[in-house]
C-alpha cells in the first residue's frame, strides 16, 4: 500500500511540487470511497487513486491546473451514463473531491551580493525555496547566504543554461555588473526560459542600454519585454533591505494575483 504522506515528504525533500486529491464525500454507489487519495506531480505522474476511469482523468487535469495557479478546487461528480456516455458508468452515485496544491515556489537569484542576500532572507521567510548562483564560489555558499536552500557556482551563462528555471519559477538577475546581467539574460533566453517572474536590478538607463545590446545580439524582443527593470514595487526603496521589501512584495503579488497584478 502506498503511503501518500510519506510520498509528499519525499517530493518536498526533492523540491518537487504536487497536488493532493481527496474524496471528501460520497452518496450512493461510487467506485471511490471517502478519504481515498491521489497525489499528482507537475509532470502528470500520480500515485494512489480516487476511483479510476474517466473521473480520475478529470481530477488529474484539475490537479495540474491547481499547480499552475496554486488555488484549491472542489470537484463534484455524478456518475451516470448521461454525464459520461462513453464510460459505461451505471452506479449512479455522487462524490466530491478536494484538490489541494502543495507548492513551494522557486526563486533563482543570479548574483550573490548584498541585494540578493537581503532578498533571500525575506523571500525564504514567506515560503520561497531560494537558489543563489554566482561566478564566485565564495558568494554562493551558506555561510554568506544562510537563508538560501541551494547554491551553484560557475560562469553565469553556463549556470543559467544548466539550471534554466521552469515556467513556474521566479528569476532575478542581480549580478555585480551590466555585462554579467546580460550573460544571464542571454543564456536564459537561449534556453527557452519563460519564468513566472523575471527581474533585473538597475536603473531605467541601464535597462535601455543593455537591452539595445541584447537585441542587437539576437535576444528576442518578446523575451526582453518580460524583464522587469527597475524591479519591485515602486516604493522609493534605497537601502538593500528596502529594495528587498519592494522585490519580495512583487514576487508575492505575482504569485497570488498573477501576471496582471489583479
Amino acid at each position: 500500500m502506498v503511503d501518500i504522506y510519506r510520498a509528499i515528504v519525499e517530493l518536498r525533500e526533492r523540491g518537487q511540487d504536487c497536488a493532493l486529491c481527496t474524496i471528501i464525500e460520497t452518496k450512493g454507489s461510487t467506485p471511490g470511497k471517502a478519504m481515498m487519495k491521489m497525489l499528482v506531480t507537475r509532470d502528470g505522474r500520480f500515485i494512489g487513486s480516487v476511483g479510476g476511469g474517466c473521473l480520475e482523468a478529470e481530477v488529474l487535469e484539475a490537479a495540474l491546473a491547481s499547480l499552475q495557479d496554486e488555488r484549491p478546487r472542489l470537484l463534484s461528480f455524478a456518475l451516470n451514463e448521461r454525464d459520461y456516455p462513453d464510460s459505461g458508468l451505471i452506479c449512479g452515485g455522487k462524490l466530491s473531491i478536494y484538490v489541494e496544491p502543495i507548492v513551494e515556489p522557486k526563486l533563482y537569484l543570479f548574483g550573490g551580493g548584498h541585494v540578493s542576500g537581503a532578498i533571500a532572507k525575506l523571500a525564504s521567510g514567506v515560503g520561497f525555496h531560494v537558489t543563489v548562483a554566482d561566478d564566485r564560489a565564495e558568494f554562493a555558499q551558506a555561510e554568506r547566504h544562510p537563508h538560501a536552500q541551494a547554491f551553484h557556482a560557475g560562469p553565469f551563462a553556463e549556470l543559467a543554461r544548466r539550471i534554466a528555471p521552469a515556467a513556474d519559477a521566479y528569476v532575478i538577475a542581480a549580478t555585480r555588473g551590466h555585462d554579467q546581467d546580460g550573460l544571464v539574460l542571454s543564456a536564459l533566453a537561449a534556453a527557452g526560459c519563460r519564468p513566472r517572474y523575471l527581474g533585473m536590478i538597475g536603473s531605467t538607463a541601464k535597462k535601455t542600454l543593455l537591452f539595445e545590446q541584447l537585441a542587437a545580439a539576437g535576444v528576442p524582443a518578446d523575451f526582453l519585454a518580460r524583464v522587469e527593470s527597475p524591479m519591485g514595487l515602486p516604493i522609493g526603496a534605497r537601502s538593500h533591505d528596502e529594495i528587498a521589501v519592494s522585490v519580495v512584495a512583487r514576487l508575492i503579488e505575482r504569485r497570488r494575483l498573477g501576471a496582471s497584478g489583479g
Side-chain angles (χ1 to χ4, degrees):
M1 180 178 179
V2 176
D3 187 333
I4 292 287
Y5 297 105
R6 183 180 296 277
I8 292 174
V9 172
E10 291 174 351
L11 287 170
R12 293 298 298 271
E13 289 176 344
R14 295 199 298 267
Q16 297 182 27
D17 299 328
C18 57
L20 180 62
C21 311
T22 305
I23 299 177
I24 58 174
E25 182 182 26
T26 65
K27 293 182 179 179
S29 177
T30 59
K33 307 305 177 184
M35 300 310 295
M36 285 180 62
K37 302 179 188 297
M38 181 172 76
L39 194 64
V40 179
T41 59
R42 284 192 183 274
D43 59 4
R45 293 181 297 112
F46 63 91
I47 61 174
S49 175
V50 288
C54 54
L55 178 150
E56 204 152 88
E58 287 194 34
V59 176
L60 177 62
E61 182 179 346
L64 294 174
S66 78
L67 288 172
Q68 283 298 110
D69 61 21
E70 294 189 48
R71 296 180 180 178
R73 283 153 171 75
L74 181 60
L75 311 176
S76 297
F77 298 92
L79 306 181
N80 53 58
E81 289 185 299
R82 183 191 65 190
D83 293 338
Y84 297 96
D86 298 323
S87 67
L89 288 170
I90 58 174
C91 50
K94 298 180 179 181
L95 56 79
S96 298
I97 297 176
Y98 184 68
V99 179
E100 175 188 3
I102 303 173
V103 175
E104 185 179 39
K106 311 300 190 300
L107 171 62
Y108 295 82
L109 296 169
F110 288 93
H114 296 297
V115 171
S116 288
I119 292 173
K121 180 179 179 180
L122 280 182
S124 64
V126 295
F128 283 81
H129 180 281
V130 180
T131 295
V132 175
D134 201 289
D135 61 353
R136 302 160 293 178
E138 65 271 23
F139 282 79
Q141 56 180 316
E143 288 76 11
R144 186 176 182 90
H145 300 292
H147 301 284
Q149 288 77 45
F151 306 91
H152 296 275
F156 278 117
E158 178 184 315
L159 290 176
R161 286 192 296 267
R162 180 156 55 88
I163 63 173
D168 58 298
Y170 304 75
V171 182
I172 289 173
T175 72
R176 62 185 181 279
H178 298 13
D179 291 344
Q180 288 77 22
D181 287 335
L183 289 173
V184 170
L185 294 181
S186 294
L188 291 175
C193 175
R194 297 296 186 270
R196 183 174 295 185
Y197 175 83
L198 179 56
M200 181 184 72
I201 193 169
S203 65
T204 301
K206 169 190 171 179
K207 173 184 177 180
T208 300
L209 176 60
L210 180 58
F211 281 23
E212 287 177 354
Q213 296 171 347
L214 292 176
V219 176
D222 63 332
F223 176 85
L224 295 175
R226 300 174 62 92
V227 183
E228 181 181 64
S229 183
M231 60 182 182
L233 297 181
I235 60 174
R238 295 183 179 180
S239 70
H240 299 143
D241 289 334
E242 288 177 348
I243 293 171
V245 169
S246 167
V247 171
V248 175
R250 178 70 84 194
L251 299 181
I252 295 171
E253 177 189 61
R254 188 61 55 86
R255 181 185 184 193
R256 299 304 186 191
L257 301 180
S260 64

